Amino acid sequence: ERGISPQMTEHGDMRWISDDPDLWRKNSYGEEIRNQLSPHFNKKEFNQKSEPLDSTTFDVSPELVNRLETLRTLIGNKPIIITSGYRSPQYNRRVGGVSKSKHILGEAADIMVNGMTSTQLEEYAKKVGFAFTQTYKNKPHLHVDVGKR
């Protein structure tokens, strides 16, 4: 991918760094911030769907993004659709999320892949090492998270 490369942080996390100006924007203080989290995921995908937030007001766990990238590779580089990512506590309550949801911490995502059932996707997600996975009866998505249990 043009302009994106992995870099290790001082905390040992893998971050994706871009020199492509289209993948950066400025916050209200004029500071550049990165919206592209990895080669295949950007912050907008993790934002609340019906009540989007300014991307400077929430974080997405680098471990979650890295595991999603690994999952994408494992399933043959098929695009992963994030149906729910970060949620504010208020939004989480409105959508019926549990009170200690990992979505509130930016450590969870509900995902789906066209052409795969949530059960099929879960088999691969477990191999990637997500801390928790859950399918839902009569729903097409899979919940994955990296939060400590």
Side-chain angles (χ1 to χ4, degrees), residues 111-125:
I111 61 173
M112 56 188 293
V113 173
N114 288 330
M116 294 182 77
T117 67
S118 58
T119 305
Q120 291 168 327
L121 188 56
E122 184 178 38
E123 290 176 32
Y124 289 99

Side-chain angles (χ1 to χ4, degrees), residues 87-147:
R87 299 176 189 162
S88 69
Q90 300 82 3
Y91 185 79
N92 187 61
R93 277 193 297 279
R94 280 195 290 282
V95 299
V98 297
S99 62
K100 295 191 186 252
S101 172
K102 299 299 179 187
H103 287 276
I104 296 169
L105 302 173
E107 296 178 346
D110 295 336
I111 61 173
M112 56 188 293
V113 173
N114 288 330
M116 294 182 77
T117 67
S118 58
T119 305
Q120 291 168 327
L121 188 56
E122 184 178 38
E123 290 176 32
Y124 289 99
K126 287 180 177 181
K127 292 177 185 175
V128 170
F130 285 98
F132 181 74
T133 63
Q134 182 175 8
T135 59
Y136 300 93
K137 188 175 183 174
N138 300 320
K139 293 191 178 179
H141 65 264
L142 170 69
H143 172 91
V144 295
D145 74 51
V146 295

Side-chain angles (χ1 to χ4, degrees), residues 41-54 58 60 80-88 91-92 94-95 103 108-112 141:
F41 297 100
N42 65 60
K43 218 169 182 187
K44 183 177 180 180
E45 294 175 276
F46 289 89
N47 205 339
Q48 301 174 164
K49 304 305 181 206
S50 63
E51 299 172 23
L53 300 168
D54 183 300
F58 68 94
V60 178
I80 295 173
I81 301 162
I82 299 170
T83 60
S84 182
Y86 174 81
R87 299 176 189 162
S88 69
Y91 185 79
N92 187 61
R94 280 195 290 282
V95 299
H103 287 276
D110 295 336
I111 61 173
M112 56 188 293
H141 65 264

